[in-house]
Amino acid sequence: GPRAVQLLREMQGRGFQARTPEYNHAMFACQDKHWATALELFREVESGAVPGVRMDTGTTMAALGACRAGKQWQLAASIFESARAQEVEPSLVLFNAVLGVYATAQQTGKVLETLEEMRFRGVRPDEFTYNTAIGAFAKVGDFRQAGQWLSVMSWEGVSASTVTYNCVLDACANGGNPQRAAELFQEMKDRKVGVDHVTYGSLIHAFAKGGQW
């Protein structure tokens, strides 16, 4: 991360013009462990201070990744709006990225708002979208919303995977509903959805939390 930024600065110091890809690569290199540095680079791009460098999908993705690492969900919302203002197309990949930030921060209200906006703009959610949303509800134990979005997936023709069901099971566990967890476990078997150690772990957690030993 820091080495990529050092090289970017060295490049500029020698009089070479940095382009959008160089900024994007440096931001991606920093987005996890050095997320604050990635956001500093983003602000340079957003402000238009660097000639010939402007926001694109890559810039926005890297900035949202940094927000996720730093749990800066409010800043993520601002960045998403800024990207649209600078005519960056709000594609599926960007919606999924901002959903990931909100899910990590357990901002379920923003998750619902984003899903609604996707529908309004005609952006069709994929399995990753639904898994991210359901995972957000799982963290707060909202098994009703998690189950509802599992149903929406079916209506929309998007196949629910082991990961999807595990997220809903986790919601049941955190929400203290072992009965619903057991029903989902049977549904997985009936639909021939594979189970793994996470499936059993969530199911055990649900029964333990529900006091059913």
Side-chain angles (χ1 to χ4, degrees):
R3 179 58 176 156
V5 178
Q6 182 184 357
L7 288 168
L8 175 66
R9 297 309 186 203
E10 182 178 318
M11 175 185 181
Q12 293 171 315
R14 294 190 172 208
F16 296 108
Q17 183 175 336
R19 302 167 302 160
T20 302
E22 282 80 54
Y23 265 85
N24 290 354
H25 291 320
M27 287 174 63
F28 276 117
C30 296
Q31 68 173 345
D32 293 322
K33 293 183 179 179
H34 304 280
W35 58 269
T37 301
L39 291 174
E40 287 174 10
L41 292 173
F42 170 76
R43 291 186 188 98
E44 290 181 28
V45 177
E46 182 186 34
S47 68
V50 186
V53 177
R54 58 175 296 148
M55 284 177 66
D56 64 7
T57 298
T59 317
T60 311
M61 284 289 293
L64 291 173
C67 288
R68 181 170 184 169
K71 296 180 180 166
Q72 303 290 313
W73 69 269
Q74 291 170 310
L75 181 57
S78 174
I79 288 170
F80 198 68
E81 290 300 320
S82 178
R84 288 191 293 193
Q86 297 201 31
E87 299 181 351
V88 177
E89 180 67 25
S91 60
L92 174 62
V93 69
L94 287 184
F95 273 113
N96 282 348
V98 78
L99 269 175
V101 181
Y102 297 147
T104 299
Q106 300 182 20
Q107 295 296 318
T108 54
K110 294 296 291 182
V111 167
L112 289 172
E113 284 180 22
T114 304
L115 290 169
E116 181 60 32
E117 184 177 353
M118 290 178 73
R119 291 181 180 279
F120 176 77
R121 292 180 173 273
V123 179
R124 188 172 186 269
D126 61 7
E127 182 190 337
F128 185 87
T129 312
Y130 288 115
N131 287 352
T132 302
I134 292 170
F137 298 120
K139 288 177 182 175
V140 299
D142 191 343
F143 56 84
R144 291 184 180 84
Q145 279 284 1
Q148 179 181 327
W149 287 101
L150 177 64
S151 297
V152 171
M153 283 184 77
S154 179
W155 299 334
E156 296 290 340
V158 180
S159 297
S161 65
T162 303
V163 172
T164 312
Y165 272 96
N166 285 350
C167 287
V168 186
L169 283 170
D170 194 36
C172 293
N174 291 331
N177 192 333
Q179 181 178 350
R180 180 58 182 145
E183 292 170 356
L184 286 165
F185 185 61
Q186 185 60 49
E187 186 176 308
M188 291 178 75
K189 292 180 178 179
D190 294 343
R191 296 188 175 184
K192 294 181 170 53
V193 178
V195 300
D196 59 16
H197 70 285
V198 177
T199 310
Y200 282 102
S202 294
L203 192 62
I204 292 167
H205 180 204
F207 278 92
K209 192 164 184 179
Q212 297 185 28
W213 297 88

